[in-house]
Amino acid sequence: MKKIVAVRKVIIGFLSIGLLFLSACSSNATQGGIKPKGIQERVIKAGIGLNEDHPEGQGLLKFKEIVEKQSGGKLKVQTYFSASLGDDLKMTEALQGGTQEITIPSTSPLVGIIKEFGILDFPFLFNTAEEADEILDGPIGKKLLEKLPDHELVGLAYWENGFRHVTNSKHPINTTDDLKGLKLRTMQNQVHIDAFKKLGANPTPMAFSEVFTALESKTVDGQENPLATIKSNKYYEVQDYLSLTKHVYTPFVFLVSKKFWDSLSPEEQKILRDAAVEAGKYQRELSRQEDKKALEELKKTGIKINEVSDEQRQKMAEDIKPVIDKYAKEFGEDLVNEMYNELEKIRK
């Protein structure tokens, strides 16, 4: 009997050592950056601030379709819309903390994390969406994405939010003078805030999910967003005027939690990256189609629409030049100069 007990103790001892060895190997493999192989069963939580029927929502559904098809159903994307997981900043922080896998915010809220993203917020920077594509998909866009991993984020692609326009409940905006005194909701972005202040408005930053109620209650006079967002969120129900100012082009950036990204195999990473790019092309095209469609549908709602002339847009651009000069120094004059030089080449 004693011999049996002794043998059991020896076996248990060997098993314990073996388990410790396997645990150490597993830990070292993860810490040492050794990637798992193949495609594993995973659930990927992806949330955005906009509605499912918005081009961004449709782009996310396209991403889900591609990922699940290419992974043979092993990678499942759970989609969350309408800021159900929080606003852009909250979801970005969730990615950094590893509690959410994907979000696709406007680049503007990222400026608080990586200041250089602020160069994309310069008003009247792009004349066309195609100019924006070339800058974002080129060296400038890549340089900005390369700054994300230091902040526990990985950027896979740029999508389109679009050119922003002003709505309000007071009067049409035709000139800089028409902005004076207007209390406008803006994103929580200092470049936008300072630019609107320079134009005489009273910018009021607030979370996107709070905008409709603030407009309805007259807490603010107006807001600024792309046409698809104005239509999708029914701002025409609580606003009387839509002025096509085209004052800022805003991209979305497709973000993945670095903690999650580092746990993926190369095959899984490729599926996600390729899907983000492919779905992004689809989303951009849909966004541009929806922009034209949204304008026609907004005309039918009764909201009064006016187009700001190129001359007045140029005047506004000149008025805010001191703001651009100030932030060029803060974000890096070399990077800003490189961006404007690239734009000059594109326009030739």
Side-chain angles (χ1 to χ4, degrees):
M1 187 70 181
K2 289 181 180 179
K3 285 183 180 180
I4 292 171
V5 170
V7 169
R8 282 178 179 170
K9 286 182 178 179
V10 170
I11 291 170
I12 290 168
F14 276 121
L15 286 171
S16 298
I17 292 168
L19 287 170
L20 285 170
F21 176 76
L22 287 171
S23 175
C25 286
S26 174
S27 175
N28 288 337
T30 303
Q31 294 176 14
I34 298 172
K35 296 282 187 186
K37 292 182 179 180
I39 303 169
Q40 300 181 25
E41 295 276 352
R42 298 181 189 273
V43 176
I44 303 168
K45 189 160 58 174
I48 60 171
L50 292 169
N51 303 335
E52 183 176 342
D53 65 353
H54 188 278
E56 184 187 33
Q58 293 300 300
L60 181 55
L61 291 176
K62 174 63 73 173
F63 171 80
K64 169 185 170 71
E65 175 190 318
I66 296 167
V67 167
E68 293 182 355
K69 181 180 178 182
Q70 293 302 316
S71 67
K74 289 186 175 180
L75 300 179
K76 293 180 173 59
V77 181
Q78 287 185 349
T79 53
Y80 298 83
F81 304 98
S82 306
S84 58
L85 297 180
D87 61 25
D88 281 352
L89 195 55
K90 185 175 180 181
M91 287 190 283
T92 301
E93 289 170 350
L95 262 63
Q96 290 176 301
T99 58
Q100 183 177 328
E101 286 74 52
I102 288 171
T103 191
I104 317 168
S106 292
T107 54
S108 298
L110 287 180
V111 178
I113 301 170
I114 302 167
K115 64 180 183 180
E116 288 87 351
F117 269 95
I119 66 173
L120 301 176
D121 287 311
F122 288 170
F124 308 105
L125 174 63
F126 300 120
N127 293 327
T128 67
E130 289 72 24
E131 285 182 359
D133 290 348
E134 294 209 43
I135 291 295
L136 294 167
D137 297 340
I140 299 295
K142 185 179 178 184
K143 281 185 180 182
L144 293 174
L145 294 183
E146 287 171 349
K147 295 181 180 296
L148 288 165
D150 288 342
H151 300 270
E152 298 302 318
L153 300 165
V154 174
L156 301 188
Y158 292 98
W159 289 14
E160 177 169 283
N161 195 347
F163 282 103
R164 305 177 79 86
H165 308 279
V166 175
T167 68
N168 80 97
S169 58
K170 298 286 188 182
H171 50 249
I173 309 299
N174 284 298
T175 69
T176 301
D177 288 342
D178 295 326
L179 284 163
K180 286 182 170 41
L182 274 185
K183 193 170 184 180
L184 289 179
R185 179 270 174 181
T186 66
M187 287 187 285
Q188 294 157 313
N189 178 281
Q190 203 57 47
V191 179
H192 288 197
I193 292 167
D194 285 358
F196 275 114
K197 281 182 180 177
K198 193 70 179 173
L199 293 171
N202 180 10
T204 305
M206 68 174 64
F208 179 77
S209 56
E210 301 169 13
V211 177
F212 188 94
T213 302
L215 295 171
E216 188 176 35
S217 64
K218 308 293 185 186
T219 303
V220 293
D221 299 318
Q223 61 82 51
E224 46 85 49
N225 259 301
L227 294 175
T229 303
I230 292 167
K231 188 204 80 164
S232 178
N233 288 275
K234 300 183 178 180
Y235 293 151
Y236 52 82
E237 293 183 355
V238 288
Q239 297 277 266
D240 298 314
Y241 302 95
L242 164 58
S243 300
L244 303 177
T245 50
K246 202 178 175 184
H247 56 277
V248 170
Y249 176 91
T250 306
F252 291 123
V253 59
F254 195 107
L255 297 180
V256 180
S257 165
K258 187 173 184 297
K259 288 183 180 179
F260 172 67
W261 184 256
D262 289 345
S263 74
L264 299 176
S265 69
E267 294 96 323
E268 291 168 327
Q269 288 181 350
K270 186 176 188 307
I271 287 171
L272 293 192
R273 189 182 297 280
D274 290 351
V277 171
E278 185 179 342
K281 290 176 182 176
Y282 166 82
Q283 189 272 339
R284 280 176 174 173
E285 181 58 34
L286 191 63
S287 174
R288 287 158 204 181
Q289 291 173 7
E290 181 62 25
D291 205 53
K292 294 173 184 175
K293 183 180 172 185
L295 182 57
E296 293 307 310
E297 292 186 11
L298 284 165
K299 287 177 181 177
K300 298 173 186 175
T301 67
I303 193 169
K304 298 175 182 68
I305 302 173
N306 70 285
E307 188 163 358
V308 179
S309 69
D310 288 341
E311 182 184 358
Q312 286 300 324
R313 290 181 71 254
Q314 183 59 38
K315 170 80 166 54
M316 291 178 187
E318 290 168 4
D319 289 343
I320 62 162
K321 192 172 183 305
V323 175
I324 304 300
D325 292 342
K326 171 189 171 182
Y327 283 100
K329 291 176 183 176
E330 183 175 328
F331 299 148
E333 288 182 306
D334 288 346
L335 184 63
V336 170
N337 289 335
E338 184 181 349
M339 179 175 65
Y340 278 108
N341 288 337
E342 284 294 318
L343 270 174
E344 281 185 26
K345 291 177 188 174
I346 291 166
R347 289 168 180 166
K348 283 180 180 177

PDB file of all heavy atoms in Angstrom, residues 11-44:
ATOM      1  N   ILE A  11       4.004  10.256  -9.649  1.00  0.00           N
ATOM      2  CA  ILE A  11       3.246  10.570 -10.869  1.00  0.00           C
ATOM      3  C   ILE A  11       2.675  11.979 -10.802  1.00  0.00           C
ATOM      4  O   ILE A  11       2.768  12.759 -11.746  1.00  0.00           O
ATOM      5  CB  ILE A  11       2.116   9.547 -11.073  1.00  0.00           C
ATOM      6  CG1 ILE A  11       2.696   8.171 -11.433  1.00  0.00           C
ATOM      7  CG2 ILE A  11       1.151   9.999 -12.189  1.00  0.00           C
ATOM      8  CD1 ILE A  11       1.684   7.050 -11.425  1.00  0.00           C
ATOM      9  N   ILE A  12       2.083  12.299  -9.613  1.00  0.00           N
ATOM     10  CA  ILE A  12       1.514  13.638  -9.431  1.00  0.00           C
ATOM     11  C   ILE A  12       2.597  14.699  -9.558  1.00  0.00           C
ATOM     12  O   ILE A  12       2.396  15.758 -10.155  1.00  0.00           O
ATOM     13  CB  ILE A  12       0.803  13.739  -8.064  1.00  0.00           C
ATOM     14  CG1 ILE A  12      -0.476  12.886  -8.081  1.00  0.00           C
ATOM     15  CG2 ILE A  12       0.469  15.200  -7.721  1.00  0.00           C
ATOM     16  CD1 ILE A  12      -1.104  12.681  -6.716  1.00  0.00           C
ATOM     17  N   GLY A  13       3.769  14.391  -9.017  1.00  0.00           N
ATOM     18  CA  GLY A  13       4.889  15.336  -9.115  1.00  0.00           C
ATOM     19  C   GLY A  13       5.285  15.596 -10.553  1.00  0.00           C
ATOM     20  O   GLY A  13       5.471  16.747 -10.965  1.00  0.00           O
ATOM     21  N   PHE A  14       5.391  14.513 -11.338  1.00  0.00           N
ATOM     22  CA  PHE A  14       5.759  14.664 -12.754  1.00  0.00           C
ATOM     23  C   PHE A  14       4.688  15.442 -13.517  1.00  0.00           C
ATOM     24  O   PHE A  14       4.980  16.281 -14.369  1.00  0.00           O
ATOM     25  CB  PHE A  14       5.962  13.292 -13.402  1.00  0.00           C
ATOM     26  CG  PHE A  14       7.343  12.716 -13.184  1.00  0.00           C
ATOM     27  CD1 PHE A  14       7.516  11.489 -12.547  1.00  0.00           C
ATOM     28  CD2 PHE A  14       8.469  13.424 -13.604  1.00  0.00           C
ATOM     29  CE1 PHE A  14       8.787  10.976 -12.346  1.00  0.00           C
ATOM     30  CE2 PHE A  14       9.738  12.902 -13.401  1.00  0.00           C
ATOM     31  CZ  PHE A  14       9.897  11.681 -12.757  1.00  0.00           C
ATOM     32  N   LEU A  15       3.402  15.141 -13.217  1.00  0.00           N
ATOM     33  CA  LEU A  15       2.314  15.849 -13.878  1.00  0.00           C
ATOM     34  C   LEU A  15       2.342  17.340 -13.564  1.00  0.00           C
ATOM     35  O   LEU A  15       2.130  18.185 -14.441  1.00  0.00           O
ATOM     36  CB  LEU A  15       0.957  15.265 -13.452  1.00  0.00           C
ATOM     37  CG  LEU A  15       0.599  13.898 -14.047  1.00  0.00           C
ATOM     38  CD1 LEU A  15      -0.662  13.338 -13.381  1.00  0.00           C
ATOM     39  CD2 LEU A  15       0.403  14.006 -15.557  1.00  0.00           C
ATOM     40  N   SER A  16       2.622  17.675 -12.319  1.00  0.00           N
ATOM     41  CA  SER A  16       2.680  19.090 -11.912  1.00  0.00           C
ATOM     42  C   SER A  16       3.789  19.820 -12.645  1.00  0.00           C
ATOM     43  O   SER A  16       3.607  20.943 -13.132  1.00  0.00           O
ATOM     44  CB  SER A  16       2.904  19.201 -10.394  1.00  0.00           C
ATOM     45  OG  SER A  16       1.827  18.605  -9.700  1.00  0.00           O
ATOM     46  N   ILE A  17       4.962  19.158 -12.715  1.00  0.00           N
ATOM     47  CA  ILE A  17       6.100  19.768 -13.426  1.00  0.00           C
ATOM     48  C   ILE A  17       5.753  19.968 -14.897  1.00  0.00           C
ATOM     49  O   ILE A  17       6.034  21.007 -15.501  1.00  0.00           O
ATOM     50  CB  ILE A  17       7.369  18.892 -13.274  1.00  0.00           C
ATOM     51  CG1 ILE A  17       7.833  18.927 -11.823  1.00  0.00           C
ATOM     52  CG2 ILE A  17       8.481  19.377 -14.210  1.00  0.00           C
ATOM     53  CD1 ILE A  17       8.889  17.894 -11.500  1.00  0.00           C
ATOM     54  N   GLY A  18       5.072  18.952 -15.485  1.00  0.00           N
ATOM     55  CA  GLY A  18       4.691  19.035 -16.894  1.00  0.00           C
ATOM     56  C   GLY A  18       3.737  20.173 -17.161  1.00  0.00           C
ATOM     57  O   GLY A  18       3.883  20.914 -18.136  1.00  0.00           O
ATOM     58  N   LEU A  19       2.756  20.325 -16.259  1.00  0.00           N
ATOM     59  CA  LEU A  19       1.787  21.410 -16.419  1.00  0.00           C
ATOM     60  C   LEU A  19       2.445  22.759 -16.298  1.00  0.00           C
ATOM     61  O   LEU A  19       2.132  23.700 -17.046  1.00  0.00           O
ATOM     62  CB  LEU A  19       0.668  21.270 -15.375  1.00  0.00           C
ATOM     63  CG  LEU A  19      -0.335  20.128 -15.618  1.00  0.00           C
ATOM     64  CD1 LEU A  19      -1.241  19.945 -14.405  1.00  0.00           C
ATOM     65  CD2 LEU A  19      -1.163  20.410 -16.865  1.00  0.00           C
ATOM     66  N   LEU A  20       3.371  22.882 -15.332  1.00  0.00           N
ATOM     67  CA  LEU A  20       4.100  24.141 -15.167  1.00  0.00           C
ATOM     68  C   LEU A  20       4.916  24.455 -16.410  1.00  0.00           C
ATOM     69  O   LEU A  20       4.996  25.612 -16.863  1.00  0.00           O
ATOM     70  CB  LEU A  20       5.025  24.065 -13.937  1.00  0.00           C
ATOM     71  CG  LEU A  20       4.338  24.170 -12.579  1.00  0.00           C
ATOM     72  CD1 LEU A  20       5.323  23.829 -11.466  1.00  0.00           C
ATOM     73  CD2 LEU A  20       3.777  25.575 -12.380  1.00  0.00           C
ATOM     74  N   PHE A  21       5.534  23.407 -16.986  1.00  0.00           N
ATOM     75  CA  PHE A  21       6.352  23.586 -18.195  1.00  0.00           C
ATOM     76  C   PHE A  21       5.493  24.064 -19.365  1.00  0.00           C
ATOM     77  O   PHE A  21       5.843  24.998 -20.083  1.00  0.00           O
ATOM     78  CB  PHE A  21       7.036  22.260 -18.542  1.00  0.00           C
ATOM     79  CG  PHE A  21       7.828  22.321 -19.817  1.00  0.00           C
ATOM     80  CD1 PHE A  21       9.071  22.951 -19.866  1.00  0.00           C
ATOM     81  CD2 PHE A  21       7.320  21.768 -20.997  1.00  0.00           C
ATOM     82  CE1 PHE A  21       9.781  23.018 -21.048  1.00  0.00           C
ATOM     83  CE2 PHE A  21       8.034  21.831 -22.169  1.00  0.00           C
ATOM     84  CZ  PHE A  21       9.278  22.454 -22.205  1.00  0.00           C
ATOM     85  N   LEU A  22       4.320  23.411 -19.536  1.00  0.00           N
ATOM     86  CA  LEU A  22       3.422  23.798 -20.627  1.00  0.00           C
ATOM     87  C   LEU A  22       2.903  25.212 -20.445  1.00  0.00           C
ATOM     88  O   LEU A  22       2.799  25.981 -21.395  1.00  0.00           O
ATOM     89  CB  LEU A  22       2.225  22.832 -20.691  1.00  0.00           C
ATOM     90  CG  LEU A  22       2.532  21.425 -21.227  1.00  0.00           C
ATOM     91  CD1 LEU A  22       1.323  20.510 -21.028  1.00  0.00           C
ATOM     92  CD2 LEU A  22       2.923  21.488 -22.699  1.00  0.00           C
ATOM     93  N   SER A  23       2.583  25.552 -19.191  1.00  0.00           N
ATOM     94  CA  SER A  23       2.098  26.903 -18.905  1.00  0.00           C
ATOM     95  C   SER A  23       3.158  27.932 -19.226  1.00  0.00           C
ATOM     96  O   SER A  23       2.887  28.979 -19.816  1.00  0.00           O
ATOM     97  CB  SER A  23       1.694  27.000 -17.434  1.00  0.00           C
ATOM     98  OG  SER A  23       1.323  28.313 -17.109  1.00  0.00           O
ATOM     99  N   ALA A  24       4.409  27.626 -18.836  1.00  0.00           N
ATOM    100  CA  ALA A  24       5.512  28.551 -19.111  1.00  0.00           C
ATOM    101  C   ALA A  24       5.731  28.716 -20.596  1.00  0.00           C
ATOM    102  O   ALA A  24       5.954  29.819 -21.097  1.00  0.00           O
ATOM    103  CB  ALA A  24       6.801  28.042 -18.438  1.00  0.00           C
ATOM    104  N   CYS A  25       5.643  27.600 -21.330  1.00  0.00           N
ATOM    105  CA  CYS A  25       5.821  27.654 -22.786  1.00  0.00           C
ATOM    106  C   CYS A  25       4.745  28.515 -23.432  1.00  0.00           C
ATOM    107  O   CYS A  25       5.024  29.328 -24.305  1.00  0.00           O
ATOM    108  CB  CYS A  25       5.769  26.248 -23.390  1.00  0.00           C
ATOM    109  SG  CYS A  25       7.252  25.280 -23.053  1.00  0.00           S
ATOM    110  N   SER A  26       3.494  28.295 -22.946  1.00  0.00           N
ATOM    111  CA  SER A  26       2.387  29.068 -23.500  1.00  0.00           C
ATOM    112  C   SER A  26       2.556  30.552 -23.233  1.00  0.00           C
ATOM    113  O   SER A  26       2.368  31.391 -24.099  1.00  0.00           O
ATOM    114  CB  SER A  26       1.070  28.579 -22.894  1.00  0.00           C
ATOM    115  OG  SER A  26       0.007  29.385 -23.304  1.00  0.00           O
ATOM    116  N   SER A  27       2.966  30.874 -21.973  1.00  0.00           N
ATOM    117  CA  SER A  27       3.172  32.275 -21.596  1.00  0.00           C
ATOM    118  C   SER A  27       4.293  32.893 -22.400  1.00  0.00           C
ATOM    119  O   SER A  27       4.175  34.003 -22.922  1.00  0.00           O
ATOM    120  CB  SER A  27       3.470  32.370 -20.102  1.00  0.00           C
ATOM    121  OG  SER A  27       3.786  33.677 -19.729  1.00  0.00           O
ATOM    122  N   ASN A  28       5.395  32.146 -22.535  1.00  0.00           N
ATOM    123  CA  ASN A  28       6.540  32.667 -23.288  1.00  0.00           C
ATOM    124  C   ASN A  28       6.190  32.874 -24.751  1.00  0.00           C
ATOM    125  O   ASN A  28       6.642  33.820 -25.393  1.00  0.00           O
ATOM    126  CB  ASN A  28       7.737  31.708 -23.179  1.00  0.00           C
ATOM    127  CG  ASN A  28       8.360  31.736 -21.785  1.00  0.00           C
ATOM    128  OD1 ASN A  28       8.205  32.722 -21.067  1.00  0.00           O
ATOM    129  ND2 ASN A  28       9.045  30.659 -21.412  1.00  0.00           N
ATOM    130  N   ALA A  29       5.380  31.968 -25.294  1.00  0.00           N
ATOM    131  CA  ALA A  29       4.994  32.083 -26.703  1.00  0.00           C
ATOM    132  C   ALA A  29       4.198  33.356 -26.935  1.00  0.00           C
ATOM    133  O   ALA A  29       4.416  34.075 -27.896  1.00  0.00           O
ATOM    134  CB  ALA A  29       4.165  30.871 -27.126  1.00  0.00           C
ATOM    135  N   THR A  30       3.261  33.637 -25.987  1.00  0.00           N
ATOM    136  CA  THR A  30       2.445  34.845 -26.124  1.00  0.00           C
ATOM    137  C   THR A  30       3.286  36.088 -25.930  1.00  0.00           C
ATOM    138  O   THR A  30       3.249  37.022 -26.724  1.00  0.00           O
ATOM    139  CB  THR A  30       1.301  34.817 -25.087  1.00  0.00           C
ATOM    140  OG1 THR A  30       0.541  33.643 -25.285  1.00  0.00           O
ATOM    141  CG2 THR A  30       0.408  36.035 -25.258  1.00  0.00           C
ATOM    142  N   GLN A  31       4.100  36.103 -24.827  1.00  0.00           N
ATOM    143  CA  GLN A  31       4.918  37.277 -24.539  1.00  0.00           C
ATOM    144  C   GLN A  31       6.017  37.468 -25.558  1.00  0.00           C
ATOM    145  O   GLN A  31       6.418  38.584 -25.856  1.00  0.00           O
ATOM    146  CB  GLN A  31       5.506  37.163 -23.125  1.00  0.00           C
ATOM    147  CG  GLN A  31       4.424  37.230 -22.039  1.00  0.00           C
ATOM    148  CD  GLN A  31       4.996  37.010 -20.641  1.00  0.00           C
ATOM    149  OE1 GLN A  31       6.200  37.062 -20.445  1.00  0.00           O
ATOM    150  NE2 GLN A  31       4.125  36.760 -19.683  1.00  0.00           N
ATOM    151  N   GLY A  32       6.487  36.388 -26.123  1.00  0.00           N
ATOM    152  CA  GLY A  32       7.572  36.482 -27.093  1.00  0.00           C
ATOM    153  C   GLY A  32       7.099  36.834 -28.479  1.00  0.00           C
ATOM    154  O   GLY A  32       7.878  36.960 -29.402  1.00  0.00           O
ATOM    155  N   GLY A  33       5.778  36.977 -28.640  1.00  0.00           N
ATOM    156  CA  GLY A  33       5.250  37.416 -29.927  1.00  0.00           C
ATOM    157  C   GLY A  33       5.059  36.297 -30.929  1.00  0.00           C
ATOM    158  O   GLY A  33       4.881  36.537 -32.105  1.00  0.00           O
ATOM    159  N   ILE A  34       5.096  35.032 -30.459  1.00  0.00           N
ATOM    160  CA  ILE A  34       4.884  33.908 -31.374  1.00  0.00           C
ATOM    161  C   ILE A  34       3.397  33.841 -31.692  1.00  0.00           C
ATOM    162  O   ILE A  34       2.565  33.712 -30.799  1.00  0.00           O
ATOM    163  CB  ILE A  34       5.376  32.575 -30.765  1.00  0.00           C
ATOM    164  CG1 ILE A  34       6.883  32.649 -30.516  1.00  0.00           C
ATOM    165  CG2 ILE A  34       5.033  31.406 -31.677  1.00  0.00           C
ATOM    166  CD1 ILE A  34       7.428  31.464 -29.756  1.00  0.00           C
ATOM    167  N   LYS A  35       3.052  33.953 -32.960  1.00  0.00           N
ATOM    168  CA  LYS A  35       1.657  34.037 -33.369  1.00  0.00           C
ATOM    169  C   LYS A  35       1.004  32.656 -33.418  1.00  0.00           C
ATOM    170  O   LYS A  35       1.654  31.665 -33.778  1.00  0.00           O
ATOM    171  CB  LYS A  35       1.553  34.668 -34.755  1.00  0.00           C
ATOM    172  CG  LYS A  35       2.031  36.106 -34.808  1.00  0.00           C
ATOM    173  CD  LYS A  35       0.976  37.011 -34.237  1.00  0.00           C
ATOM    174  CE  LYS A  35       1.368  38.459 -34.440  1.00  0.00           C
ATOM    175  NZ  LYS A  35       0.415  39.348 -33.762  1.00  0.00           N
ATOM    176  N   PRO A  36      -0.286  32.562 -33.058  1.00  0.00           N
ATOM    177  CA  PRO A  36      -1.011  31.316 -33.307  1.00  0.00           C
ATOM    178  C   PRO A  36      -1.120  31.097 -34.811  1.00  0.00           C
ATOM    179  O   PRO A  36      -1.017  32.037 -35.587  1.00  0.00           O
ATOM    180  CB  PRO A  36      -2.390  31.588 -32.691  1.00  0.00           C
ATOM    181  CG  PRO A  36      -2.526  33.076 -32.683  1.00  0.00           C
ATOM    182  CD  PRO A  36      -1.139  33.607 -32.495  1.00  0.00           C
ATOM    183  N   LYS A  37      -1.343  29.862 -35.209  1.00  0.00           N
ATOM    184  CA  LYS A  37      -1.437  29.550 -36.637  1.00  0.00           C
ATOM    185  C   LYS A  37      -2.886  29.291 -37.025  1.00  0.00           C
ATOM    186  O   LYS A  37      -3.694  28.872 -36.214  1.00  0.00           O
ATOM    187  CB  LYS A  37      -0.573  28.327 -36.965  1.00  0.00           C
ATOM    188  CG  LYS A  37       0.926  28.591 -36.835  1.00  0.00           C
ATOM    189  CD  LYS A  37       1.735  27.371 -37.221  1.00  0.00           C
ATOM    190  CE  LYS A  37       3.234  27.661 -37.101  1.00  0.00           C
ATOM    191  NZ  LYS A  37       4.048  26.479 -37.473  1.00  0.00           N
ATOM    192  N   GLY A  38      -3.164  29.566 -38.300  1.00  0.00           N
ATOM    193  CA  GLY A  38      -4.480  29.262 -38.820  1.00  0.00           C
ATOM    194  C   GLY A  38      -5.548  30.228 -38.360  1.00  0.00           C
ATOM    195  O   GLY A  38      -5.269  31.312 -37.866  1.00  0.00           O
ATOM    196  N   ILE A  39      -6.792  29.801 -38.518  1.00  0.00           N
ATOM    197  CA  ILE A  39      -7.948  30.624 -38.166  1.00  0.00           C
ATOM    198  C   ILE A  39      -8.710  29.943 -37.039  1.00  0.00           C
ATOM    199  O   ILE A  39      -9.116  28.792 -37.164  1.00  0.00           O
ATOM    200  CB  ILE A  39      -8.865  30.817 -39.387  1.00  0.00           C
ATOM    201  CG1 ILE A  39      -8.090  31.441 -40.554  1.00  0.00           C
ATOM    202  CG2 ILE A  39     -10.063  31.698 -39.033  1.00  0.00           C
ATOM    203  CD1 ILE A  39      -8.836  31.434 -41.860  1.00  0.00           C
ATOM    204  N   GLN A  40      -8.871  30.649 -35.949  1.00  0.00           N
ATOM    205  CA  GLN A  40      -9.560  30.102 -34.788  1.00  0.00           C
ATOM    206  C   GLN A  40     -10.985  30.640 -34.707  1.00  0.00           C
ATOM    207  O   GLN A  40     -11.325  31.633 -35.339  1.00  0.00           O
ATOM    208  CB  GLN A  40      -8.793  30.466 -33.507  1.00  0.00           C
ATOM    209  CG  GLN A  40      -7.384  29.931 -33.467  1.00  0.00           C
ATOM    210  CD  GLN A  40      -6.680  30.289 -32.174  1.00  0.00           C
ATOM    211  OE1 GLN A  40      -7.313  30.512 -31.148  1.00  0.00           O
ATOM    212  NE2 GLN A  40      -5.351  30.347 -32.214  1.00  0.00           N
ATOM    213  N   GLU A  41     -11.801  29.984 -33.905  1.00  0.00           N
ATOM    214  CA  GLU A  41     -13.161  30.476 -33.640  1.00  0.00           C
ATOM    215  C   GLU A  41     -13.050  31.725 -32.768  1.00  0.00           C
ATOM    216  O   GLU A  41     -12.503  31.668 -31.666  1.00  0.00           O
ATOM    217  CB  GLU A  41     -13.979  29.398 -32.905  1.00  0.00           C
ATOM    218  CG  GLU A  41     -14.215  28.140 -33.717  1.00  0.00           C
ATOM    219  CD  GLU A  41     -15.415  28.267 -34.660  1.00  0.00           C
ATOM    220  OE1 GLU A  41     -16.128  29.279 -34.556  1.00  0.00           O
ATOM    221  OE2 GLU A  41     -15.619  27.358 -35.484  1.00  0.00           O
ATOM    222  N   ARG A  42     -13.541  32.849 -33.262  1.00  0.00           N
ATOM    223  CA  ARG A  42     -13.471  34.094 -32.493  1.00  0.00           C
ATOM    224  C   ARG A  42     -14.745  34.902 -32.704  1.00  0.00           C
ATOM    225  O   ARG A  42     -15.352  34.868 -33.771  1.00  0.00           O
ATOM    226  CB  ARG A  42     -12.283  34.956 -32.933  1.00  0.00           C
ATOM    227  CG  ARG A  42     -10.912  34.322 -32.740  1.00  0.00           C
ATOM    228  CD  ARG A  42      -9.828  35.289 -33.194  1.00  0.00           C
ATOM    229  NE  ARG A  42      -8.505  34.688 -33.228  1.00  0.00           N
ATOM    230  CZ  ARG A  42      -7.670  34.633 -32.196  1.00  0.00           C
ATOM    231  NH1 ARG A  42      -8.045  35.153 -31.040  1.00  0.00           N
ATOM    232  NH2 ARG A  42      -6.483  34.090 -32.313  1.00  0.00           N
ATOM    233  N   VAL A  43     -15.108  35.671 -31.676  1.00  0.00           N
ATOM    234  CA  VAL A  43     -16.214  36.627 -31.777  1.00  0.00           C
ATOM    235  C   VAL A  43     -15.609  38.024 -31.676  1.00  0.00           C
ATOM    236  O   VAL A  43     -14.877  38.328 -30.728  1.00  0.00           O
ATOM    237  CB  VAL A  43     -17.265  36.420 -30.674  1.00  0.00           C
ATOM    238  CG1 VAL A  43     -18.345  37.502 -30.753  1.00  0.00           C
ATOM    239  CG2 VAL A  43     -17.896  35.040 -30.787  1.00  0.00           C
ATOM    240  N   ILE A  44     -15.879  38.867 -32.682  1.00  0.00           N
ATOM    241  CA  ILE A  44     -15.275  40.199 -32.777  1.00  0.00           C
ATOM    242  C   ILE A  44     -16.367  41.255 -32.576  1.00  0.00           C
ATOM    243  O   ILE A  44     -17.311  41.338 -33.358  1.00  0.00           O
ATOM    244  CB  ILE A  44     -14.608  40.392 -34.156  1.00  0.00           C
ATOM    245  CG1 ILE A  44     -13.558  39.297 -34.389  1.00  0.00           C
ATOM    246  CG2 ILE A  44     -13.985  41.776 -34.274  1.00  0.00           C
ATOM    247  CD1 ILE A  44     -13.055  39.229 -35.822  1.00  0.00           C
TER     248      ILE A  44
END
